Amino acid sequence: MTLPNKVKIVEVGPRDGLQNEKETIPAAVKIELVDRLTDAGFSNIEAASFVSPKWVPQMATSTEVMEKIRRKPGVVYSVLTPNMKGFDAAVAAKADEVVIFGAASEAFSQKNINCSIAESIERFRDVAQSAKQHGIRLRGSISCSFGCPYQGEVSPDSVADVVRRLRELGCDEIDIADTIGVATPNKVKTVFERVKQEFPAERLSGHFHDTYGQALANIYAGMESGIAIYHSSIAGLGGCPYAKGATGNVSTEDVLYMMNGLGIDTGIDLDAVVDAGQFISQHLGRKAASRAGNAIAAKRQG
Ligand code: HMG
Ligand code: MG
């Protein structure tokens, strides 16, 4: 299959990336990061998460972040909302999109959101209906679509089953997530071919963590399956607090470098993204987990 001419990159660093940091990051730093990402040209930034601060303390500043970011018209600022408490906070914070997040594995669902897959869909029902009433975009995310840290194998049919349930809730977009980065390209194609039977390909996205160094190859495989939305994280930040050993999402700089080389339009300025990656890495006091980002920064210094 031919590759898409245009790809939407959803920047998830401010949420998926930073949620895993142990040290509390000041809201001002998070706000500057989101503003830099806005200026770099992203059309969708996952900026915050309205979850229990007992479960994910780093996201406790989400209201302040959403209040103080500089919003560019047309840019979608998304937030995670596991239940109505999260949804109400998202409405108050004027989120453009809410994300309900489930899993294709029962074991991970219990660890991450403290309920079964079936119970999670029931909780999401209220959030989904309220999102529709408020005219807020609704996205569904499916963790462990390619493997689970607790139960191991996950079948494409169980991913398809959750896709179908999220479709019935009215999701505008559905993320097929490799939470622990175990997927390889043929597996990616198998899962996407299966879930495309349940939901339109143009509204499916790939959310790849890079734990085993497969994420770019997996994105390429996803593009060959007709998928044109991918999530990535500035400086390769992140991991999931409920998936031990999982590293960050594929780095945005690496994805953009590949897209630029392939002549695929993303509308995003790689140089500005490299600057944002260096900014947050300096704050965190470590080198960015981005090969392209570090190479471009080193080249600039001559
Ligand atoms: P629970 O303990 O079963 O919920 O947690 P509860 O309803 O019994 O509430 C317990 C306490 O949390 C109460 O406070 C609630 O008010 C409070 P208390 O009375 O004890 O003081 N609470 C909240 N506070 C703020 N915002 C809320 C909220 N809800 C309840 N929305 C719950 C269930 C879902 C809340 C919990 O398990 C949770 O917050 N989980 C979030 C886990 C998480 O954020 N994980 C990381 C994001 S998912 C991810 O990274 C994967 C993804 O990137 C895709 C991939 O890579 O796979 C998306
Ligand atoms: Mg993730």
Side-chain angles (χ1 to χ4, degrees):
M1 194 171 182
T2 51
L3 299 180
N5 298 324
K6 209 173 159 61
V7 155
K8 176 169 104 174
I9 305 291
V10 180
E11 170 57 53
V12 298
R15 195 285 302 171
D16 204 355
L18 296 184
Q19 76 177 7
N20 212 40
E21 292 296 327
K22 298 276 170 295
E23 301 292 322
T24 307
I25 300 163
V29 172
K30 297 175 181 173
I31 293 159
E32 177 165 353
L33 178 64
V34 175
D35 287 349
R36 282 172 175 264
L37 295 166
T38 297
D39 291 340
F42 290 90
S43 59
N44 193 168
I45 301 172
E46 202 170 274
S49 177
F50 292 107
V51 298
S52 163
K54 286 184 190 137
W55 285 63
V56 186
Q58 188 64 257
M59 290 290 110
T61 50
S62 289
T63 293
E64 186 180 350
V65 170
M66 289 298 285
E67 193 189 322
K68 294 188 179 157
I69 51 174
R70 184 169 31 78
R71 300 191 191 205
K72 187 160 119 188
V75 175
V76 172
Y77 297 91
S78 313
V79 302
L80 264 55
T81 53
N83 52 22
M84 281 308 289
K85 184 158 189 178
F87 180 79
D88 291 341
V91 171
K94 299 191 171 59
D96 302 295
E97 179 181 69
V98 293
V99 183
I100 46 181
F101 51 104
S105 129
E106 283 294 349
F108 189 80
S109 182
Q110 287 291 350
K111 296 273 184 190
N112 195 41
I113 50 174
N114 208 21
C115 63
S116 70
I117 295 174
E119 283 163 349
S120 73
I121 299 294
E122 286 318 305
R123 271 187 207 169
F124 297 157
R125 201 174 296 284
D126 289 343
V127 176
Q129 276 170 3
S130 306
K132 297 287 157 195
Q133 279 159 10
H134 284 79
I136 298 178
R137 218 171 174 272
L138 178 69
R139 171 147 64 82
S141 192
I142 307 177
S143 288
C144 298
S145 292
F146 303 92
C148 169
Y150 308 105
Q151 78 174 43
E153 279 296 310
V154 172
S155 75
D157 280 343
S158 43
V159 184
D161 183 52
V162 183
V163 167
R164 190 177 42 73
R165 296 197 222 186
L166 291 177
R167 181 194 70 209
E168 285 164 5
L169 292 182
C171 284
D172 297 296
E173 203 167 297
I174 297 181
D175 317 327
I176 307 301
D178 187 11
T179 316
I180 52 171
V182 288
T184 46
N186 282 350
K187 179 88 188 264
V188 169
K189 286 188 181 173
T190 304
V191 172
F192 274 127
E193 291 309 321
R194 176 67 189 86
V195 299
K196 274 159 61 178
Q197 295 168 19
E198 309 291 342
F199 198 73
E202 58 274 18
R203 295 196 279 129
L204 284 168
S205 78
H207 175 112
F208 294 108
H209 285 255
D210 203 24
T211 316
Y212 289 83
Q214 304 296 299
L216 283 181
N218 289 339
I219 289 176
Y220 199 95
M223 290 197 291
E224 288 187 326
S225 289
I227 305 304
I229 308 172
Y230 294 95
H231 295 190
S232 63
S233 180
I234 184 82
L237 291 174
C240 178
Y242 298 100
K244 220 170 181 222
T247 65
N249 299 79
V250 62
S251 98
T252 306
E253 297 90 319
D254 291 4
V255 174
L256 291 177
Y257 184 81
M258 180 174 84
M259 295 299 170
N260 289 351
L262 291 168
I264 295 173
D265 179 22
T266 61
I268 300 160
D269 175 0
L270 173 56
D271 271 317
V273 173
V274 170
D275 289 341
Q278 299 297 307
F279 159 76
I280 192 66
S281 300
Q282 271 158 21
H283 176 81
L284 297 171
R286 59 170 190 263
K287 214 170 162 191
S290 168
R291 304 285 275 266
N294 290 337
I296 293 166
K299 201 172 160 195
R300 281 179 187 166
Q301 283 169 3

